[in-house]
Amino acid sequence: MNGFDMILSSLKAMIEELYGDVKDEGGMYRTMVQHIGVSDMNAILEVLPEGGFNSERPYPILHFHLTLAVNVPEEYEAELCLSLNRLNNAISVGDFPSFGCFAYHPGLRQIYLTYRLPVNPDDPDNEAVNIRYYLGVLYEELDALGDYILFLCNNEGKSPILDEYLRYLKNIDDWNDIERRSEELSELLREFEKENDK
């Protein structure tokens, strides 16, 4: 077994350990990431090996693609793209640095998170450590930002509370206290609705 095959084999085992059943669909791994955020949403995780733009490059790439929302109304597209851009800017330089970026696919009407990770096939053990780290951080990222994606879907793609939402995240003391998180998020949304009704 070559180094890249070893990486793919350990990748599949890690996904199964962290997220459950994995389907191998012709070299692409697919699973469901469940129980995300206060809203208890799910996302479809797909991982596909890629060669990148240049097949002569020494390192293959693992492309992680997460579908977060489907059947988003077409009329949300303009606002949604602006909102996702604002969110990407915030997570690029703010208190919640994240891997990848959020985007909207107009043809499929889906919101997704995408990240490409180059891997060194000559060092499969260290690459397994990097992949495990990413998969763990991925759940944390989704747990923190999944509720905001749902908010965008429920508000025509508009993001008037991004700053308030990020402050809400900063004030979470215990990420496992879903009841408290739910109360605080509900309060934030009530404030938003109150402002909107004026």
Side-chain angles (χ1 to χ4, degrees):
M1 184 182 289
N2 68 35
F4 190 59
D5 288 338
M6 290 171 65
I7 290 169
L8 292 178
S9 178
S10 63
L11 167 66
K12 184 176 182 193
M14 283 186 267
I15 295 172
E16 285 176 337
E17 179 187 340
L18 292 169
Y19 299 124
D21 187 43
V22 176
K23 294 181 182 168
D24 184 343
E25 300 185 0
M28 177 185 70
Y29 298 145
R30 176 180 284 160
T31 192
M32 186 74 72
V33 180
Q34 300 178 352
H35 309 300
I36 299 167
V38 170
S39 55
D40 199 33
M41 65 187 279
N42 300 326
I44 299 167
L45 169 61
E46 297 165 311
V47 187
L48 179 69
E50 296 179 352
F53 289 119
N54 182 349
S55 60
E56 300 302 313
R57 285 187 179 157
Y59 297 149
I61 294 168
L62 293 177
H63 181 185
F64 295 85
H65 183 95
L66 287 109
T67 303
L68 300 166
V70 297
N71 300 320
V72 178
E74 290 177 31
E75 59 270 22
Y76 293 5
E77 182 177 340
E79 287 285 351
L80 187 56
C81 289
L82 289 172
S83 296
L84 292 174
N85 187 48
R86 284 189 65 215
L87 177 59
N88 286 329
N89 285 335
I91 64 176
S92 294
V93 297
D95 292 313
F96 293 93
S98 301
F99 291 99
C101 63
F102 292 91
Y104 172 72
H105 190 294
L108 298 175
R109 294 173 37 223
Q110 295 177 347
I111 298 173
Y112 62 91
L113 173 65
T114 186
Y115 179 64
R116 285 180 166 89
L117 175 68
V119 292
N120 181 354
D122 296 328
D123 195 1
D125 292 336
N126 278 330
E127 291 302 347
V129 171
N130 292 335
I131 293 166
R132 177 175 288 283
Y133 176 76
Y134 170 69
L135 288 171
V137 169
L138 173 64
Y139 184 81
E140 294 172 1
E141 182 176 346
L142 294 174
D143 193 44
L145 300 171
D147 293 317
Y148 189 72
I149 298 299
L150 191 60
F151 170 82
L152 293 178
C153 292
N154 291 330
N155 287 280
E156 301 176 5
K158 298 174 186 166
S159 67
I161 64 164
L162 178 59
D163 294 336
E164 292 84 351
Y165 186 84
L166 294 174
R167 274 195 293 278
Y168 148 76
L169 291 180
K170 277 178 71 170
N171 291 327
I172 294 174
D173 295 324
D174 180 1
W175 285 85
N176 294 317
D177 188 348
I178 296 296
E179 189 174 318
R180 176 85 185 270
R181 286 173 58 190
S182 179
E183 287 169 7
E184 291 177 8
L185 182 57
S186 295
E187 180 60 32
L188 172 64
L189 296 177
R190 276 193 295 275
E191 289 296 319
F192 165 70
E193 287 168 5
K194 220 183 287 180
E195 287 295 314
N196 249 12
D197 289 341
K198 288 182 181 177

